[in-house]
Amino acid sequence: ITVETTIGFSDVKVSFPAKIDTGSTLCIFERSHAEQLGLRVESGIRQRVSTATGVFTAFGFRLGLTVAGFEFDSLVYFAEDIGIRRNVLGRRGWLELVRIGLVDYERKIYLSPYL
């Protein structure tokens, strides 16, 4: 499932499609999005990330994250390697903050903040 996602830092915002990934612990985005926001990627919180295909390094920042009109203050990570081209919304920083419902045969997603 792909949803339009916006991240913001200071007065700059960047929008892109991201996949909802219930198996991902973290929200991880492409390095280029951090650079568009004017962030120095390596100045963030360093985190080694293990996936089924290997291990990579990402750096975390607390940013505004908007999905489906709902805005959150979230810790999100950016891949160190420019070759990583995936954007995923994981459990920490997003899924733990929402209630989500899916109706596959209608291709609908229902989303609300988890208060």
Side-chain angles (χ1 to χ4, degrees):
I1 297 167
T2 303
V3 293
E4 189 65 18
T5 302
T6 301
I7 52 175
F9 179 73
S10 195
D11 291 335
V12 182
K13 294 183 187 245
V14 177
S15 295
F16 50 88
K19 300 267 186 201
I20 296 172
D21 186 348
T22 59
S24 177
T25 302
L26 307 172
C27 295
I28 302 175
F29 305 128
E30 295 176 29
R31 179 186 181 99
S32 64
H33 300 317
E35 293 169 346
Q36 289 176 296
L37 293 173
L39 299 172
R40 287 185 21 248
V41 173
E42 285 79 6
S43 70
I45 302 165
R46 184 183 174 91
Q47 177 73 44
R48 294 291 288 166
V49 178
S50 296
T51 71
T53 59
V55 178
F56 65 93
T57 301
F59 294 89
F61 295 85
R62 186 154 293 280
L63 303 175
L65 172 68
T66 304
V67 177
F70 299 110
E71 188 169 339
F72 307 94
D73 177 33
S74 298
L75 180 61
V76 303
Y77 290 81
F78 297 95
E80 178 180 45
D81 182 351
I82 197 157
I84 296 175
R85 299 279 192 196
R86 263 199 101 139
N87 299 300
V88 297
L89 295 164
R91 292 189 314 271
R92 269 193 247 143
W94 191 71
L95 274 172
E96 68 187 359
L97 303 173
V98 299
R99 291 177 192 218
I100 189 168
L102 302 171
V103 181
D104 184 49
Y105 60 88
E106 291 181 10
R107 300 182 55 100
K108 289 186 180 180
I109 182 170
Y110 296 92
L111 187 66
S112 68
Y114 183 72
L115 303 174

